[in-house]
Amino acid sequence: MPGVSSAIVTVLLTADPQEKVMAARDVARRWRLGRLAFTFDTPMPDRPAWPSEPALLPPAQMPRRGKGGSDRTRIAMWHSLAHIGFVAIDLALDMAGRFGAEMGEEFVSDFLAVAADEAMHFALLDRKLRRMGSHYGALPAHAGLWETAERTAHDVAARLAIVPMVLEARGLDVTPAMIARVQSQGDKKGARILKRILDDEIRHVGFGTKHFVAICCDERISPQKRWKSLLKTYFRGGLKGPFNDSARLAAGLSQDFYAGLAS
């Protein structure tokens, strides 16, 4: 029986977006059905394989999207979301493959499920772009999303603290306003896509928080104090409010983690 780490690496080194989507969902399905062994004999790559497009730019060089309702602005928004979803596939796979041996089978199950969800999100977003006359890769994209993975490659607690509990939690904060804006434009299908993503992201943040708190409990450390310490070390830039407290609480991320930290 093939090992789960080698199966994950195969997906990480798949550059074509559509092929990566199918491969990520297939790995999650094979793991769920017991067709991959809990063995970790293949190291994770430092970086996944990505397509030649979109061009990846530093944050300061990214063109401003604007807040207007033009087709160009709307396409830029959906393209940005598609890029976040695409990189999120690799982040979840790397989480499972890099830290699964030390964290156990439930951890692997949770983050392979996240990878499958993110693959589905990307497919929905890319389809949305194509219906608008565009596609993923048509615009430049943010180059910094993988940097967090590189900074936390040595420490599962740091990775959990930053990726699910900061980056994905930020999605819980900003998506409701995005849904309202898309609905106001009469885009019911777009609003449904965003609502599906929001519901899934609550679960994803919940997975991260659950495993982070378990690590802290094993080490007899306050989860809130450890999270704040890791935030200072590994997260560049302060937290931005306002916070979606109800969605965060549904994910297990109570206000005592982040209250008073907003910049």
Side-chain angles (χ1 to χ4, degrees):
M1 184 186 296
V4 68
S5 68
S6 61
I8 287 171
V9 168
T10 297
V11 187
L12 287 170
L13 297 180
T14 299
D16 180 80
Q18 282 70 38
E19 291 179 9
K20 191 186 287 277
V21 163
M22 292 187 291
R25 297 182 75 175
D26 180 64
V27 165
R29 182 181 62 84
R30 284 193 287 152
W31 170 260
R32 190 175 64 249
L33 295 175
R35 296 174 183 169
L36 293 172
F38 184 73
T39 55
F40 294 82
D41 50 6
T42 307
M44 297 299 107
D46 292 336
R47 272 181 171 257
W50 295 321
S52 58
E53 294 180 326
L56 300 179
L57 302 179
Q61 295 180 22
M62 283 293 294
R64 293 193 176 276
R65 210 163 58 216
K67 296 184 178 180
S70 68
D71 287 346
R72 180 180 177 182
T73 298
R74 286 195 286 267
I75 287 171
M77 182 196 80
W78 290 106
H79 191 278
S80 175
L81 292 173
H83 181 62
I84 292 169
F86 182 70
V87 177
I89 301 170
D90 289 329
L91 285 170
L93 290 168
D94 186 79
M95 183 84 85
R98 189 174 298 275
F99 303 113
E102 64 180 286
M103 293 296 293
E105 294 189 18
E106 182 182 346
F107 183 91
V108 175
S109 296
D110 286 346
F111 285 99
L112 288 184
V114 172
D117 285 345
E118 298 293 359
M120 183 269 293
H121 295 170
F122 174 80
L124 291 172
L125 293 163
D126 186 49
R127 190 182 310 153
K128 172 70 174 172
L129 282 169
R130 291 179 186 278
R131 287 174 178 163
M132 298 175 76
S134 188
H135 63 278
Y136 178 61
L139 299 174
H142 196 302
L145 294 175
W146 190 256
E147 290 178 2
T148 300
E150 293 174 331
R151 290 198 301 271
T152 59
H154 65 292
D155 185 347
V156 63
R159 177 72 65 86
L160 290 166
I162 305 304
V163 175
M165 298 174 71
V166 174
L167 301 182
E168 289 193 90
R170 183 60 183 156
L172 305 185
D173 302 331
V174 301
T175 304
M178 213 178 297
I179 292 171
R181 186 164 67 249
V182 168
Q183 285 177 328
S184 73
Q185 297 166 351
D187 185 358
K188 294 181 180 179
K189 290 183 178 179
R192 284 198 296 270
I193 291 171
L194 293 176
K195 182 63 167 62
R196 173 64 186 272
I197 291 173
L198 176 61
D199 290 343
D200 288 343
E201 294 299 334
I202 291 173
R203 191 171 72 259
H204 299 174
V205 176
F207 287 153
T209 304
K210 173 183 71 174
H211 290 291
F212 179 81
V213 169
I215 290 170
C216 294
C217 289
D218 286 345
E219 298 176 356
R220 297 184 180 181
I221 299 171
S222 161
Q224 292 82 0
K225 289 182 180 178
R226 179 80 185 280
W227 183 75
K228 290 172 183 175
S229 173
L230 291 168
L231 201 67
K232 290 179 182 178
T233 303
Y234 294 103
F235 185 64
R236 296 173 181 172
L239 298 184
K240 296 179 180 179
F243 301 115
N244 185 347
D245 293 327
S246 60
R248 284 170 171 256
L249 185 59
L253 195 56
S254 54
Q255 288 187 38
D256 52 353
F257 276 94
Y258 57 87
L261 294 181
S263 58

